[in-house]
Amino acid sequence: MTDQSRLREPSFRESVDVMFNRAVALMDLSPGLEEKIRVCNATYTVRFGVRLRGAIHTFTGYRSVHSEHMEPVKGGIRYSLSVSQDEVEALAALMTYKCALVEAPFGGSKGGLCIDPRDWEEHELEQITRRFAYELAKRDLINPSQNVPAPDMGTGEREMAWIADQYRRMNTTDINANACVTGKPPHAGGIKGRVEATGRGVQYALQEFFRHPRDVAAAGLSGTLDGKRVIVQGLGNVGYHAAKFLSEEDGARITAIIERDGALVDEDGLDVEAVHRWISTHGGVEGYPEGRHVADGAKVLEHDCDILIPAALEGVINLSNADRIRAPLIIEAANGPVTAGADEILRKKGKVIIPDMYANAGGVTVSYFEWVKNLSHIRFGRMGRRQEESRHLLIVNELERLSRDRDLGWTLSPDFKDRYLKGAGELELVRSGLEDTMRIAYQAMSEMWWSREDVADLRTAAYLVAIERVAASYRAKGL
């Protein structure tokens, strides 16, 4: 990257502001309401000490609340050395718009702790996490009715279980304590399908995109997902599940996987499950026996493919490489992988970008389902599943009786009976709800994209839909 391009490259926070400004310029909002939606309501910075390895270590963490047009506010907690106030506030703003777009009844929030989790043993991480949770919870920055965190980069089910337990210890009479955080393990109040949710949402987003011939044609593509060449950057939780589902269920070909130590390339398609196992054992893709290893993984972003899925870090597509990106369709599985400057270059080149605020909303959607489950104190499917199976069995039995009595010789297709008779359990209901959410949200974006001549891309359409919903909520409150 040249010094000049580095100077012109907007930060992640600036990128969010640029994209917000581009959308509100097309709206008829009063200046006061526009500013109310734009600004971050509050950011709390905490510095706390934990005695570890015979010494006191001081950690810095953040919890930012962007908008309280709906409560509780919702957003993940990330553990990363790159965490800063600017980053957390930008991510909190994205959460506001993301929740509005997919109609999850939350305001936007985000948290972060400046830490590399790989530097600490599990019991040490637990001490750090519990102390961070204590600092936030005593200020109601973790609370089932006010602020509900979730996993993000560097955190997962384990950390959420620690946070939930810490909140419960501090609020022993709160019957809804489990709803203070989402992304918990299923055996600790979580919900089936939460771990896969963001990657599954990416799959549903692409499936819906390919149901819209006009949108597909705008990207210079045709047909369905079957046979499409896909490059995935980052095989963490999101990238792994997206790549796995697209290859195993939709017939897409994963032609490259980019990781920290380079990339694997195979035009015939990589076995996602096998690569994921290799990374889990070896810490990277180097040495994997199949495909070609490319040491400079970033260069593989520029390879020829049909769909590019940046699923790890912010700003991987920027002013230094945007001109060389060949993929006609980019879906932002990560938060902010395309900078505002790169976004402009790609749009001028006719690339279609499915924006992060929509593409990775599967996580917060299923978090919403988990929060509702915790508040209702019953798992989805428990009341109605067997009744549904009984009604289906009535139909099947009646069909078989008719065939027998009339000597019609009807036979049901192999496996039909088992599949039809199986009532929906929690996982099936979660996937159904997620698919419905992703489809309806995409349709709202697409309609905005094509119904207005001044809306040139899906990102602007997404911001317009989301900001209008936030504005409507504020107006209803009398603002």
Side-chain angles (χ1 to χ4, degrees), residues 74-93:
K74 191 89 186 71
I77 289 178
R78 59 174 51 186
Y79 284 4
S80 168
L81 292 174
S82 69
V83 164
S84 67
Q85 181 172 333
D86 260 15
E87 179 189 59
V88 168
E89 289 185 352
L91 288 164

Side-chain angles (χ1 to χ4, degrees), residues 219-240:
L221 295 169
S222 61
T224 66
L225 277 166
D226 190 32
K228 293 291 184 289
R229 298 163 301 151
V230 179
I231 293 176
V232 180
Q233 184 256 332
L235 210 68
N237 178 46
V238 180
Y240 160 64

Side-chain angles (χ1 to χ4, degrees), residues 8 11 25 37 46 54 70 116 132 143 177 199 210 226 239 299 316-317 341 350 382 396 412 431 478:
R8 289 187 292 108
S11 69
I37 295 170
V46 56
M70 287 191 179
D116 184 343
F132 186 34
N143 186 295
F210 277 93
D226 190 32
K299 283 288 179 194
V316 292
I317 300 172
R382 184 166 184 174
V396 167
L412 297 172
R431 287 175 176 171

